[in-house]
């Protein structure tokens, strides 16, 4: 039995895990769980991930795990992989953990905002958040990163780490709604640095195809 | 220079870090940063934690770190501490990480709900969340844990771990608003198990004093 990775290419945390596994050359089999088709809510999938969210993994020995950051750290630890994406040094790894913890209630606000502003109305889902507040929080997260990138190339310093890959997958999602990044020139420069990694690009193929489709419709 | 821990005893993540350091007997000096007095927004504190949140630490060598889960894992790793609260085993630690990651957008919804319902109006702060949605999410988080505790004593199985301590500090906060836990008997049982740890109790002294004060006021 091989490592199975359950993802939806349109989910930011899903792409993050797939990209890291590919960069680290960890053999795995991708199983697509399409959120738009409600496939994460089937009884079959509940046996794999009771939280009914993507991503999730089932390891070779049947071990099941959810939460993108936990999955990636588990893969690195269980395979004893040495990688600059998550160095062994306690202080370097702690600064990466610090960002990854902040990410949940910080950078992730971006998708909350854009989902409720753009996607929910199209799917007929009632907006459940205060949109003004969500926008404020999304902009705060972008400003924080833009300021960081004015003095350093990556979130934790000179090297790209798990922190950048997780943040990139989230921020990239905003391309779907033609987000105006002109106010955040340092984020744009950072994005162009991260985009140079071929596994990052490959992980965004499905998303970019959809973006292209949306942009080709003159009325959208 | 000793390890400095910047906290507010009324902040859940602050208590979590203080409790874990005490259980692990890690020498440290507590510096109180009172949120109610806006002390986390002073220029002096910004030098310690640019995110202007508690908790934060400054280690003996001057290393600075924020985010409660990241801080605790850093302490364990940097001091090479062996503890059942966060075992070395990749699968056991991964399941703890899984909960700790879920915590940010799951169990933490409880404080978002109670702060906006009860605290914000008293402080004259405008409620910025959809209260109905926040309540729904808070109850979902409680139900999820209550179901878990119907078949196992602690979040990750038979032993208490970092996951329980973080969750406990969050859920305990609801005592401040006389939350009705009668619908969640398994959570009540789990709370009484966790409360038996003397460091957990000591970490809640300030909070419990305030709860007592609130309860003694007949009109509240």
């Amino acid at each position: 039995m091989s490592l199975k990775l359950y993802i939806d290419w349109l989910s930011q945390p899903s792409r993050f895990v797939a990209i890291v596994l590919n960069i680290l050359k960890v053999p795995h089999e991708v199983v697509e769980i399409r959120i738009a088709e409600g496939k994460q809510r089937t009884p079959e999938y509940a046996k794999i991930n009771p939280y009914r969210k993507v991503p999730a993994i089932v390891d070779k020995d049947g071990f099941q795990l959810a939460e993108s950051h936990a999955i990636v750290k588990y893969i690195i630890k269980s395979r004893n992989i040495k990688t600059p994406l998550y160095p062994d040094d306690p202080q370097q790894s702690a600064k990466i953990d610090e960002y990854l913890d902040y990410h949940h209630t910080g950078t992730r606000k971006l998708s909350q905002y854009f989902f409720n502003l753009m996607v929910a109305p199209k799917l007929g889902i009632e907006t459940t958040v205060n949109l003004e507040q969500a926008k404020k929080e999304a902009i705060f997260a972008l400003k924080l990163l833009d300021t960081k990138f004015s003095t350093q190339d990556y979130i934790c310093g000179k090297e790209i780490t798990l922190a950048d890959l997780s943040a990139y997958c989230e921020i990239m999602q905003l391309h779907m709604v033609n987000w105006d990044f002109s106010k955040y020139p340092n984020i744009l420069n950072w994005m162009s640095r991260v985009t140079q990694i071929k596994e990052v690009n490959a992980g965004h193929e499905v998303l970019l195809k959809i973006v292209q489709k949306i942009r080709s419709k003159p009325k959208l």
Side-chain angles (χ1 to χ4, degrees), chain A residues 7 22 24 38 68 74 123 140 142 147 149 158 160 193:
Chain A
I7 60 164
N22 286 329
L24 299 177
S68 64
Y74 163 71
L123 297 177
F140 179 84
L142 285 174
T147 306
F149 299 136
K158 286 180 190 166
I160 189 167
R193 282 192 289 277

Side-chain angles (χ1 to χ4, degrees), chain A residues 3 21 26 57 71-79 81:
Chain A
L3 167 66
L21 291 193
V26 176
I57 57 162
I71 290 171
V72 162
K73 290 179 198 175
Y74 163 71
I75 294 292
I76 291 172
K77 194 171 175 183
S78 62
R79 271 76 174 164
I81 296 168

